[in-house]
Amino acid sequence: MLRDTETIVKEVLNIFSKYLEKQSHRKTPERFAILEEIYRRNDHFDAEALYIHMKNCNYRVSRATVYNTLELLVNCDLVKKHQFGKNLAQYEKSYGYMQHDHVICAHCGKVVEFCDPRVQQIKNLVADLLNFEITHHSLNLYGICGSCVKAEEFSSN
Amino acid sequence: MLRDTETIVKEVLNIFSKYLEKQSHRKTPERFAILEEIYRRNDHFDAEALYIHMKNCNYRVSRATVYNTLELLVNCDLVKKHQFGKNLAQYEKSYGYMQHDHVICAHCGKVVEFCDPRVQQIKNLVADLLNFEITHHSLNLYGICGSCVKAEEFSSN
DNA sequence: ATAGTTGCAAAAGCTTTGCAGTATG
DNA sequence: CATACTGCAAAGCTTTTGCAACTAT
């Protein structure tokens, strides 16, 4: 049974609050507002989109604070940061979500998530063989999604 | 038996030449000089480092040409482009190399290569399940390498 | 009270683009 | 000889930084 958004928002605000306390960081309204906005939205987003969205909601935040807060949220594992081949960081909320990786359509930009236990096996083996303490990973598959393939076939006929 | 650098350089220059011809692109001395420099060097590099290196070797090239040529080389599979978590593209020569992935040390920046057949299995399964034509992928593991772990233990004692 | 945070704007860093000149096919 | 390519410099974009004002503790 999936918990509703309100419950999740409460939980993450609480987790963030405890994290800030532990790290002796200040609990500013901006930080909580940004976290809340992230968890009320879906999908992947970049820093600029989040900033614009905050502005549209009449929050008075700066880009600097958005970047600052995103970094904190990444550090306490409430948000994941990705790079899907472009020079642009993409973020996504991660609390309560299963660990997953991404397939990206090079044509339409669509991002689809998937999960494969073999990724963990690879991490374990590499950590062992190469003597690394692996903290996280990034696996992106790039290609063309079904609908874009069809569109291509259509236009070439 | 590994072929020597000269042989490999000749082969890639030849491959690039044929690629340019096929695509009706011009065979300029700058393009070949850049390819040759890449294949005479090792490890990963970024566009700026390559540009500086060309300058030091008294080639008269511009950044624009470096970026332009790198894109061509990526397109004909002679060079691979990576993003190791930073907003900075890293490149590496790929001809004659086994397909591999990377482990990156978050402390010292060291990049180690590894190869695991399960990556291909994952690609096949995802292509099938999600109906994608996968063209390439990027798998990076991030962590701390053995020597950096030791250094940490040392400094905390 | 004091120092961590904020907003703003400027700067930084990587990459792309516009343009006039050059050289390839 | 037409035009793709080049160098150079400027612009573009994302992200970071400096600083004065503010505010959480």
Side-chain angles (χ1 to χ4, degrees):
Chain A
M1 181 181 137
L2 286 174
R3 286 157 303 162
D4 63 50
T5 306
E6 292 314 310
T7 314
I8 291 179
V9 168
K10 261 182 216 152
E11 290 180 15
V12 294
L13 287 176
N14 195 30
I15 292 171
F16 193 32
S17 178
K18 283 191 178 125
Y19 169 80
L20 292 174
E21 219 162 283
K22 203 182 206 170
Q23 302 284 316
S24 306
H25 286 141
R26 294 191 177 164
K27 300 179 188 176
T28 67
E30 292 81 4
R31 288 177 173 170
F32 290 113
I34 289 172
L35 175 56
E36 197 165 337
E37 274 312 304
I38 291 173
Y39 270 82
R40 288 195 190 288
R41 295 176 63 76
N42 296 305
D43 291 339
H44 304 84
F45 57 91
D46 58 52
E48 184 66 15
L50 177 57
Y51 169 72
I52 297 294
H53 180 67
M54 299 295 293
K55 284 291 192 185
N56 287 345
C57 295
N58 292 317
Y59 283 105
R60 192 170 156 279
V61 287
S62 64
R63 261 177 268 263
T65 301
V66 168
Y67 279 101
N68 169 353
T69 304
L70 281 171
E71 191 181 333
L72 292 173
L73 291 172
V74 168
N75 286 342
C76 67
D77 272 327
L78 289 174
V79 165
K80 284 217 180 329
K81 181 178 181 178
H82 302 289
Q83 300 240 178
F84 295 138
K86 313 264 174 241
N87 273 359
L88 169 70
Q90 304 254 109
Y91 300 85
E92 70 177 335
K93 52 189 178 186
S94 58
Y95 177 73
Y97 282 72
M98 204 196 305
Q99 177 219 265
H100 59 263
D101 296 291
H102 300 88
V103 201
I104 299 102
C105 177
H107 266 130
C108 64
K110 185 164 70 180
V111 176
V112 182
E113 299 169 358
F114 71 91
C115 193
D116 192 306
R118 283 172 288 203
V119 175
Q120 187 55 48
Q121 296 169 13
I122 294 172
K123 286 165 77 170
N124 293 341
L125 182 65
V126 170
D128 202 40
L129 283 179
L130 301 181
N131 191 30
F132 262 75
E133 285 183 5
I134 309 288
T135 55
H136 61 290
H137 77 274
S138 141
L139 170 57
N140 298 321
L141 308 185
Y142 298 92
I144 307 177
C145 71
S147 28
C148 283
V149 169
K150 268 187 201 160
E152 274 196 345
E153 280 166 1
F154 181 75
S155 67
S156 69
N157 286 347
Chain B
M1 181 180 137
L2 286 174
R3 287 157 304 163
D4 63 48
T5 306
E6 292 314 311
T7 314
I8 290 179
V9 168
K10 261 182 214 152
E11 289 180 15
V12 294
L13 288 176
N14 195 30
I15 291 171
F16 193 32
S17 178
K18 282 190 177 126
Y19 169 79
L20 293 174
E21 219 162 282
K22 204 182 205 171
Q23 303 284 317
S24 306
H25 287 142
R26 292 190 179 166
K27 301 179 187 174
T28 68
E30 290 82 5
R31 288 176 174 171
F32 290 113
I34 289 171
L35 174 57
E36 197 164 338
E37 275 312 303
I38 291 173
Y39 269 81
R40 288 193 189 289
R41 294 176 64 75
N42 295 304
D43 292 339
H44 304 83
F45 58 90
D46 57 52
E48 184 67 14
L50 178 57
Y51 170 72
I52 298 294
H53 180 67
M54 299 294 293
K55 284 290 193 185
N56 287 346
C57 295
N58 292 315
Y59 283 106
R60 191 171 157 279
V61 286
S62 64
R63 261 177 267 263
T65 301
V66 167
Y67 279 101
N68 169 354
T69 304
L70 280 171
E71 192 183 331
L72 293 173
L73 291 172
V74 168
N75 286 342
C76 67
D77 272 326
L78 289 173
V79 166
K80 285 217 179 330
K81 182 178 180 177
H82 303 289
Q83 299 236 173
F84 295 138
K86 312 266 174 239
N87 272 359
L88 168 70
Q90 303 253 107
Y91 299 85
E92 70 177 335
K93 52 189 179 186
S94 58
Y95 177 73
Y97 282 71
M98 204 196 303
Q99 177 219 265
H100 59 264
D101 295 291
H102 300 88
V103 201
I104 299 101
C105 177
H107 266 130
C108 65
K110 184 165 70 179
V111 176
V112 182
E113 300 170 358
F114 72 91
C115 193
D116 192 305
R118 284 173 286 205
V119 175
Q120 187 56 48
Q121 296 168 13
I122 294 172
K123 286 165 76 170
N124 292 341
L125 182 64
V126 170
D128 202 39
L129 283 179
L130 300 181
N131 191 29
F132 262 75
E133 285 184 3
I134 309 289
T135 55
H136 61 291
H137 78 273
S138 141
L139 169 58
N140 298 321
L141 308 185
Y142 299 92
I144 307 177
C145 71
S147 28
C148 283
V149 169
K150 269 187 200 160
E152 273 196 347
E153 281 165 2
F154 181 74
S155 67
S156 69
N157 286 345

